[in-house]
Amino acid sequence: QQPVQSPQAVILREGEDAVINCSSSKALYSVHWYRQKHGEAPVFLMILLKGGEQKGHEKISASFNEKKQQSSLYLTASQLSYSGTYFCGTEIGLNSGYALNFGKGTSLLVTP
Amino acid sequence: DTGVSQDPRHKITKRGQNVTFRCDPISEHNRLYWYRQTLGQGPEFLTYFQNEAQLEKSRLLSDRFSAERPKGSFSTLEIQRTEQGDSAMYLCASSSRGGAGDDTEAFFGQGTRLTVV
């Protein structure tokens, strides 16, 4: 089942903070976060693994609550370049691998 | 290596025609994925290759869709008898195989935007 993201859209002034949430009805092993700018490829930001390990971005942090089946992405002191659509992805177990089940996205606009 | 590349970037076709897209993954990546993305939605998984073997196909992938990855390098996605509902962005992604429990990030190409008229 598709993870649910909130909010759907956020408008910030440069320097402000934002939190984007992702929740799932299924138990999670990991959560993947991507950012996509209009007309461009989704770009990897972060993986959060069960057990607390994180891999990813230096300036963006995230949390992963396994019990609540939720993850949150924290964007602090936002920059204009943070604008885009943020997607969380949860794993679809495959034969010898996995793919991602993405949410509908959160559109973030950072204004000067 | 410049990343995952896809060709063409845009394709307009008449309903009923066949189309083929190509994806060149990052050279050392053995895993390759196709996703479809429509406006306002996240990417939806279509199919997965490990090396040349197609290991998984989503229920979204009708019989009109076929994908190949000969020799475990580039991949092609063909849609036969296109329908207007096939209009979407088709994204390819690749990743390397991690060890047990080692999730590795997927790198996406810029996609092929298909418009069926």
Side-chain angles (χ1 to χ4, degrees):
Chain A
Q1 236 179 348
Q2 188 177 38
V4 176
Q5 291 187 232
S6 63
Q8 286 187 311
V10 183
I11 300 176
L12 297 175
R13 288 191 181 273
E14 203 172 359
E16 291 181 338
D17 302 339
V19 180
I20 299 172
N21 301 303
C22 174
S23 64
S24 173
S25 58
K26 299 175 87 174
L28 297 175
Y29 173 75
S30 68
V31 177
H32 302 232
W33 286 95
Y34 284 78
R35 177 172 61 211
Q36 186 177 30
K37 294 182 183 280
H38 183 69
E40 298 182 8
V43 173
F44 169 77
L45 294 176
M46 188 166 294
I47 293 175
L48 298 119
L49 302 173
K50 195 173 179 178
E53 186 178 350
Q54 290 190 22
K55 300 181 190 180
H57 206 279
E58 292 179 357
K59 296 184 179 180
I60 295 174
S61 63
S63 65
F64 180 22
N65 187 323
E66 299 158 28
K67 284 187 179 179
K68 291 187 178 179
Q69 295 163 191
Q70 290 176 345
S71 176
S72 295
L73 191 70
Y74 304 98
L75 303 164
T76 55
S78 58
Q79 305 172 14
L80 295 176
S81 62
Y82 287 7
S83 293
T85 302
Y86 289 76
F87 294 100
C88 70
T90 57
E91 286 187 13
I92 308 167
L94 303 178
N95 182 6
S96 189
Y98 72 91
L100 294 174
N101 191 11
F102 286 96
K104 290 187 177 183
T106 295
S107 175
L108 177 73
L109 176 63
V110 181
T111 62
Chain B
D1 194 344
T2 55
V4 178
S5 61
Q6 292 187 244
D7 183 68
R9 292 289 308 278
H10 303 273
K11 178 72 177 178
I12 300 174
T13 191
K14 290 185 178 179
R15 191 174 51 187
Q17 297 293 305
N18 299 343
V19 293
T20 301
F21 312 139
R22 177 180 170 120
C23 170
D24 286 273
I26 293 172
S27 57
E28 63 268 26
H29 285 180
N30 62 337
R31 292 177 171 178
L32 186 145
Y33 311 82
W34 285 97
Y35 287 83
R36 179 172 64 193
Q37 186 176 27
T38 53
L39 199 61
Q41 300 291 323
E44 294 174 299
F45 168 71
L46 293 178
T47 191
Y48 162 62
F49 289 85
Q50 186 164 299
N51 299 313
E52 67 276 6
Q54 186 175 20
L55 297 184
E56 199 84 22
K57 290 196 288 187
S58 163
R59 287 172 297 169
L60 292 175
L61 211 63
S62 80
D63 292 343
R64 296 184 296 104
F65 287 69
S66 62
E68 294 182 339
R69 192 184 181 196
K71 301 179 184 177
S73 55
F74 70 93
S75 176
T76 58
L77 178 69
E78 181 183 16
I79 309 174
Q80 295 183 323
R81 305 181 303 282
T82 51
E83 301 173 357
Q84 286 188 320
D86 297 332
S87 296
M89 175 75 83
Y90 290 84
L91 292 164
C92 175
S94 69
S95 69
S96 58
R97 181 179 182 180
D102 182 11
D103 288 33
T104 58
E105 62 267 33
F107 294 84
F108 281 83
Q110 289 188 293
T112 295
R113 181 168 294 285
L114 174 66
T115 302
V116 182
V117 297

